[in-house]
Amino acid sequence: MNIFVLLKRTFDTEEKISIANGVINEDGAEFIINPYDEYAVEEAIQIRDDHGGEVTVLTVGNEDAEKQLRTALAMGADKAVLINIEDDVEYSDQYTTAKIIAEYLKDKEVDLIIAGNVAIDNASGQVGPRVADLLDIPYITTITNLTIDGKNVSVVRDVEGDEEKIETTLPLLVTAQQGLNDPRYPSLPGIMKAKKKPLATLELDDLDLEEEDVEAKTKTIEIYLPQQKQAGKLLTGEIEEQVKELVSLLHTEAKVI
Ligand SMILES: Cc1cc2nc3c(=O)[nH]c(=O)nc-3n(C[C@H](O)[C@H](O)[C@H](O)COP(=O)(O)OP(=O)(O)OC[C@H]3O[C@@H](n4cnc5c(N)ncnc54)[C@H](O)[C@@H]3O)c2cc1C
């Protein structure tokens, strides 16, 4: 079974984020594997262990992403591929990323592709479905369970808290939702082994792509942090006085009545 995991390096949204000149300031930001992609790596490893085959983790990005790819190798993936677009692509969007990934995969023997449901930074949830569309294979998003029997696949997907059961066949792309599994931490032997596992770096040229072929279809005009909310007002005193004051404030300050 040939399994590919689409893995994105993202900044850690649990850490403080600042914006400088309309872009996220990378200085001081912590970078991690997109958390949904950790579920994807874990699922791929478990499927390989049950069914045999190979897990390849694939990132479109720059050389900084090698660290996250090595972590996935330390978790147990077999191979990593970094498509480094830093020197070739000035402006990228979800179309760019999906087109590059699909171009890389189009002549590979692919049984299963596992992506994250969404990247926690740009969060469009587009890349997985776009890749499947370009490869002309079925896709199922936000999966919480996956069972493979030969070419047949049974999937449970999360539908806003409800569950939907779907049957389909390989080749297939799925996107991982929280709850799919408990991603393992890389073990010390895993980290040692990962240093020797293959990590190939490619550029657009290697895929016979020109910058025009992957030109972004959208342009981000502005990125800004939400306006800081003012502290709420706490009313005190007898309930009748509070009601009077509330009505007065709604009239004079909030101007909604
Ligand atoms: C060199 C470079 C320059 C960029 N320049 C800009 C820019 O100028 N403006 C801008 O707005 N954005 C830019 N980006 C960001 C990039 O275009 C988007 O983040 C990317 O297309 C993914 O979209 P998303 O975050 O909405 O992913 P989603 O669609 O939410 O991601 C869902 C899943 O798709 C997969 N996936 C997503 N991205 C990748 C990836 N890169 N590699 C492998 N798998 C992936 C993962 O499995 C992920 O969980 C740049 C990225 C790079 C690498």
Side-chain angles (χ1 to χ4, degrees):
M1 172 108 45
N2 262 333
I3 310 168
F4 288 85
V5 175
L6 310 185
L7 184 148
K8 185 178 182 187
R9 168 186 182 262
T10 57
F11 52 80
D12 190 347
T13 48
E14 304 275 300
E15 300 290 324
K16 193 168 163 44
I17 292 165
S18 62
I19 293 183
N21 303 322
V23 289
I24 306 284
N25 188 359
E26 297 210 349
D27 291 339
E30 289 292 320
F31 286 89
I32 54 171
I33 296 177
N34 179 43
Y36 292 96
D37 304 353
E38 288 185 344
Y39 298 120
V41 175
E42 177 63 38
E43 196 66 15
I45 293 168
Q46 289 186 18
I47 294 169
R48 181 216 44 210
D49 290 349
D50 287 348
H51 298 267
E54 199 171 63
V55 175
T56 306
V57 280
L58 170 62
T59 294
V60 176
N62 60 31
E63 63 180 3
D64 294 336
E66 280 186 18
K67 185 170 173 215
Q68 285 69 35
L69 288 170
R70 287 276 172 217
T71 303
L73 292 172
M75 285 171 75
D78 301 289
K79 294 198 295 195
V81 176
L82 169 65
I83 306 175
N84 188 340
I85 61 169
E86 194 166 33
D87 294 338
D88 297 325
V89 179
E90 199 185 332
Y91 185 83
S92 132
D93 70 358
Q94 291 75 15
Y95 169 79
T96 312
T97 306
K99 173 84 179 163
I100 293 169
I101 293 173
E103 207 59 30
Y104 171 79
L105 290 173
K106 73 175 190 196
D107 51 9
K108 306 277 178 301
E109 259 190 44
V110 175
D111 296 302
L112 182 65
I113 304 169
I114 315 183
N117 159 37
V118 72
I120 58 165
D121 50 3
N122 288 35
S124 70
Q126 289 188 27
V127 170
R130 278 180 178 274
V131 169
D133 190 53
L134 287 166
L135 294 175
D136 201 18
I137 61 171
Y139 67 86
I140 303 172
T141 56
T142 59
I143 70 154
T144 52
N145 193 272
L146 179 71
T147 316
I148 298 176
D149 182 6
K151 287 274 173 204
N152 298 321
V153 184
S154 303
V155 166
V156 178
R157 68 181 293 265
D158 170 47
V159 196
E160 304 258 330
D162 281 334
E163 287 188 339
E164 187 176 22
K165 290 186 177 156
I166 298 177
E167 291 188 350
T168 185
T169 50
L170 300 175
L172 171 72
L173 183 146
V174 292
T175 72
Q177 172 66 307
Q178 190 174 11
L180 179 61
N181 52 47
D182 281 322
R184 69 193 69 189
Y185 290 104
S187 62
L188 193 57
I191 294 169
M192 300 311 287
K193 273 192 210 157
K195 291 182 181 165
K196 291 193 181 140
K197 288 184 181 175
L199 191 163
T201 301
L202 305 174
E203 295 186 1
L204 281 196
D205 240 11
D206 301 307
L207 303 175
D208 280 335
L209 284 172
E210 304 289 336
E211 190 179 348
E212 306 84 79
D213 300 328
V214 300
E215 201 173 312
K217 304 281 188 202
T218 56
K219 191 166 174 34
T220 302
I221 308 298
E222 194 181 356
I223 297 180
Y224 52 91
L225 293 173
Q227 277 190 345
Q228 283 216 323
K229 284 191 184 156
Q230 287 181 342
K233 195 171 255 178
L234 198 62
L235 304 181
T236 52
E238 292 299 317
I239 193 78
E240 276 187 18
E241 283 167 27
Q242 286 190 40
V243 171
K244 272 189 200 154
E245 197 183 345
L246 177 63
V247 172
S248 158
L249 288 170
L250 289 173
H251 184 60
T252 55
E253 279 194 18
K255 294 189 173 46
V256 290
I257 55 171

